[in-house]
């Protein structure tokens, strides 16, 4: 009985969660402007979409429970392909937050907490006001990276609001008066735009940092962080080179710890020299890096990735101290370090072959029988076709040869017969001439 009640409760809970995620159709185009929507565009056959489905139900339940104004829905992009195209859907699943005429793409990890944090951040105002010092201190503790405009109305504030509307998908933007700041925050001038991160703050300088949008894009990450596949994808959009200590988190050896410590020191102690061009971090394991470079890096080691052109740099010898680390980074910047990889035609062909090989190996590792069926059957069919073609060509050649031989024999027989006829004709002619040359007496005797 208890088991039955548990099953019934589970079914009812599942139905409640599903009710909080609406199935959208063509009518959504006319009604979406009335609310802020978080929509999952999916395909029924997509494996990643099926994996996201339970997470999406939890997202809908949590946003509803917290009183968020964001409504959660999902749309079969294959059934409503026209609408999916209007929203710029190119793959599955695609997560978008729709607010008025604006559509924001979500590119982060597909976890409940990350998706909810994105929805709440983007659904609110692009720039949030901080009315008190208490609120300022609260957001400093809550966010690892945030941007703050300090001052009154100005052209810089207008530009700041414009940049915030564009980049709100990545980070938080706030505004405040100078009185809200703590005594430790001293600004050279007002108005100013400041980024708070790494237990410090850094002020935007238009003459040194270029456009505000580019500066925010470069500074939206902590100087040093743990890197995974999703993070590396976003780091590539900053335009920086990504310097990674490739380690094994389970390996607590001195070499691994020293390598991470050295790259952290470069990120903090030498920020002025390298921050504009490098993003620093570490990655546990080398599988992801190996797939990117189509090779193998040892653990622990240092690698610098240029995600814009798929080049990478490796130190000529193991890095043992800070001076060697600094020399390696400097050699990358001045062009003396050799670059590997790239996005040339040879590398693209190599990538196709590598991906095909990886896919085949993955299938065989997970299911050898399925691999034999998927790849063995087509190869067998192709082999039979090739054998048939070659055999047919061989048979045709044999028949042609036999035909030529028969024609030659017929020609020889005709020549032989003609020769014999000519010889007989010659003999008859000779006899006739001999007969005519004889006298009448000889003829009578004959």
């Amino acid at each position: 009985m208890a088991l039955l009640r548990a099953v019934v409760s589970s079914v009812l809970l599942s139905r409640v969660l599903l009710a909080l995620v609406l199935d959208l159709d063509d009518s959504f185009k006319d009604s979406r402007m009335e609310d802020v929507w978080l929509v999952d565009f999916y395909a029924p056959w997509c494996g990643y979409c099926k994996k996201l489905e339970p997470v999406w139900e939890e997202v809908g339940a949590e946003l509803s429970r917290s009183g968020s104004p964001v409504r959660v829905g999902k749309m079969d992009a294959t059934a409503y392909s026209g609408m999916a195209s209007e929203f710029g859907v190119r793959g599955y699943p695609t997560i978008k937050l729709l607010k008025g005429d604006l559509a924001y793409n979500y590119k982060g990890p597909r976890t409940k907490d990350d998706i909810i944090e994105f929805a709440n951040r983007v659904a609110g105002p692009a720039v949030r006001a901080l009315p008190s010092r208490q609120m300022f201190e609260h957001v400093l503790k809550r966010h690892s990276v945030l941007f703050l405009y300090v001052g009154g109305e100005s052209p810089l504030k207008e530009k700041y609001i414009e940049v915030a509307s564009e980049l709100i998908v990545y980070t938080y933007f706030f505004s405040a008066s100078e009185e809200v700041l703590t005594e430790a925050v001293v600004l050279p001038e007002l108005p100013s735009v400041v980024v708070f991160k790494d237990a410090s703050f850094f002020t935007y300088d238009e003459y040194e940092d270029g456009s505000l949008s580019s500066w925010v894009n470069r500074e939206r990450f902590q100087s040093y962080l743990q890197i995974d596949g999703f993070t590396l994808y976003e780091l590539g959009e900053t335009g920086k080179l990504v310097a990674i200590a490739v380690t094994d988190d389970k390996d607590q050896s001195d070499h691994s710890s020293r390598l991470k410590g050295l790259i952290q020191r470069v990120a903090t102690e030498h920020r002025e020299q390298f921050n504009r061009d490098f993003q620093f971090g570490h990655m546990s394991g080398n599988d992801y890096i190996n797939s990117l470079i189509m090779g193998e890096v040892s653990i622990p080691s240092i690698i610098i990735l240029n995600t814009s052109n798929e080049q990478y740099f490796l130190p000529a010898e193991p890095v043992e101290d800070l001076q060697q680390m600094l020399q390696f980074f400097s050699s990358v910047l001045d062009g003396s370090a050799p670059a590997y990889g790239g996005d040339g035609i040879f590398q693209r062909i190599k990538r196709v072959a590598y991906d095909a090989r990886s896919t085949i190996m993955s299938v065989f590792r997970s299911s050898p029988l399925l691999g034999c069926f998927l790849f063995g059957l087509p190869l067998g069919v192709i082999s039979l076709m090739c054998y048939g073609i070659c055999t047919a060509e061989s048979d045709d050649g044999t028949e042609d040869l036999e035909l030529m031989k028969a024609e030659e024999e017929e020609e020889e027989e005709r020549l032989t017969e003609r020769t014999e006829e000519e010889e007989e004709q010659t003999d008859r002619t000779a006899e006739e001439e001999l007969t005519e040359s004889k006298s009448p007496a000889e003829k009578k005797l004959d």
Side-chain angles (χ1 to χ4, degrees):
M1 194 68 180
L3 179 60
L4 180 60
R5 283 198 297 267
V7 172
V8 172
S9 299
S10 177
V11 171
L12 292 175
L13 177 60
S14 177
R15 289 180 177 177
V16 170
L17 292 177
L18 287 172
L20 299 174
V21 177
L22 301 182
D23 281 302
L24 306 176
D25 53 27
D26 286 332
S27 62
F28 177 66
K29 182 177 181 180
D30 299 323
S31 62
R32 78 174 189 86
M33 300 294 288
E34 301 170 3
D35 297 287
V36 178
W37 283 91
L38 184 66
V39 181
D40 167 30
F41 294 89
Y42 70 95
W45 45 260
C46 170
Y48 292 107
C49 301
K50 293 177 181 177
K51 187 176 180 180
L52 177 63
E53 188 172 346
V55 176
W56 201 247
E57 293 172 4
E58 293 178 2
V59 168
E62 180 65 27
L63 289 174
S64 177
R65 185 165 49 246
S66 65
S68 171
V70 179
R71 302 187 68 184
V72 181
K74 60 180 180 177
M75 177 178 289
D76 183 348
T78 61
Y80 304 101
S81 57
M83 286 201 64
S85 298
E86 287 185 26
F87 288 115
V89 176
R90 297 290 182 268
Y92 312 113
T94 294
I95 298 174
K96 288 180 176 285
L97 188 135
L98 309 175
K99 185 169 68 171
D101 293 326
L102 301 176
Y104 297 93
N105 290 327
Y106 176 69
K107 301 178 181 178
R110 298 185 186 120
T111 64
K112 183 190 76 170
D113 292 340
D114 287 302
I115 295 173
I116 289 174
E117 195 270 343
F118 163 81
N120 287 330
R121 180 175 71 246
V122 180
V127 178
R128 293 168 166 83
L130 299 177
S132 65
R133 178 171 295 186
Q134 183 180 6
M135 185 64 72
F136 171 65
E137 293 174 344
H138 171 73
V139 297
L140 280 181
K141 293 177 181 178
R142 184 176 179 182
H143 304 296
S144 58
V145 179
L146 66 89
F147 292 86
L148 179 68
Y149 173 84
V150 183
E153 299 298 324
S154 69
L156 180 60
K157 185 175 183 179
E158 294 177 3
K159 185 64 177 177
Y160 179 75
I161 294 173
E162 179 184 331
V163 171
S165 300
E166 175 190 354
L167 301 179
I168 188 65
V169 292
Y170 300 122
T171 188
Y172 284 91
F173 296 86
F174 298 93
S175 64
S177 63
E178 188 177 17
E179 292 75 20
V180 168
L181 305 180
T182 60
E183 290 79 4
V185 182
V186 179
L187 302 179
E189 61 180 3
L190 293 178
S192 288
V193 176
V194 188
V195 59
F196 291 87
K197 65 177 184 178
D198 304 329
S200 185
F201 66 93
F202 308 96
T203 306
Y204 166 67
D205 187 324
E206 182 179 2
Y207 298 103
E208 293 185 3
D209 300 319
S211 72
L212 180 60
S213 177
S214 298
W215 179 76
V216 170
N217 192 43
R218 290 196 305 270
E219 297 289 346
R220 59 188 174 91
F221 290 99
Q222 294 173 276
S223 298
Y224 181 91
L225 68 161
Q226 183 166 357
I227 299 173
D228 55 21
F230 283 107
T231 310
L232 184 60
Y233 176 83
E234 290 192 31
L235 289 173
E237 297 182 349
T238 66
K240 292 184 179 182
L241 301 172
V242 185
I244 304 174
V246 183
T247 62
D248 185 350
D249 286 346
K250 298 178 182 178
D251 179 15
Q252 301 299 323
S253 65
D254 292 341
H255 192 191
S256 292
S257 300
R258 181 171 65 252
L259 210 55
K260 288 197 289 187
L262 288 175
I263 202 168
Q264 282 180 294
R265 287 184 61 186
V266 175
T268 55
E269 298 175 13
H270 298 269
R271 172 186 165 85
E272 292 297 324
Q273 183 178 358
F274 296 112
N275 178 71
R276 187 181 183 88
D277 300 294
F278 290 96
Q279 174 64 51
F280 303 92
H282 74 273
M283 178 179 288
S284 179
N286 62 353
D287 291 342
Y288 191 83
I289 295 296
N290 290 345
S291 67
L292 284 180
I293 68 173
M294 296 178 286
E296 187 169 353
V297 296
S298 59
I299 295 179
S301 62
I302 293 288
I303 185 171
I304 295 177
L305 300 175
N306 186 342
T307 58
S308 65
N309 61 10
E310 300 181 14
Q311 288 185 339
Y312 63 95
F313 304 86
L314 297 170
E317 56 186 20
V319 175
E320 300 292 343
D321 55 40
L322 182 61
Q323 188 60 36
Q324 285 181 306
M325 184 79 77
L326 295 175
Q327 288 176 353
F328 175 49
F329 288 134
S330 298
S331 67
V332 172
L333 288 181
D334 64 26
S336 60
Y340 304 95
D343 56 359
I345 183 64
F346 175 75
Q347 288 295 321
R348 293 179 185 179
I349 295 173
K350 184 179 178 181
R351 168 59 63 185
V352 172
Y354 182 88
D355 290 344
R357 176 180 175 274
S358 299
T359 301
I360 294 172
M361 294 299 294
S362 176
V363 171
F364 273 100
R365 279 195 297 266
S366 60
S367 179
L369 291 177
L370 179 62
C372 291
F373 178 77
L374 290 177
F375 301 105
L377 183 60
L379 287 175
V381 172
I382 293 173
S383 299
L384 289 174
M385 292 174 62
C386 292
Y387 176 77
I389 293 171
C390 293
T391 304
E393 290 178 352
S394 177
D395 292 343
D396 292 342
T398 302
E399 292 176 359
D400 292 342
L401 183 61
E402 292 176 350
L403 181 61
M404 291 175 61
K405 186 180 293 185
E407 290 177 351
E408 290 178 357
E409 291 176 352
E410 291 178 1
E411 183 66 25
E412 288 179 0
E413 290 178 359
R414 286 195 296 269
L415 289 174
T416 301
E417 292 175 356
R418 189 179 300 116
T419 302
E420 292 176 351
E421 291 176 355
E422 290 177 353
E423 289 177 352
E424 291 177 357
Q425 182 67 32
T426 302
D427 291 341
R428 284 196 298 270
T429 303
E431 289 177 359
E432 290 176 357
E433 291 177 352
L434 180 60
T435 302
E436 291 177 359
S437 63
K438 288 180 179 181
S439 63
E442 289 175 337
K443 290 180 181 178
K444 184 176 180 181
L445 183 61
D446 291 338

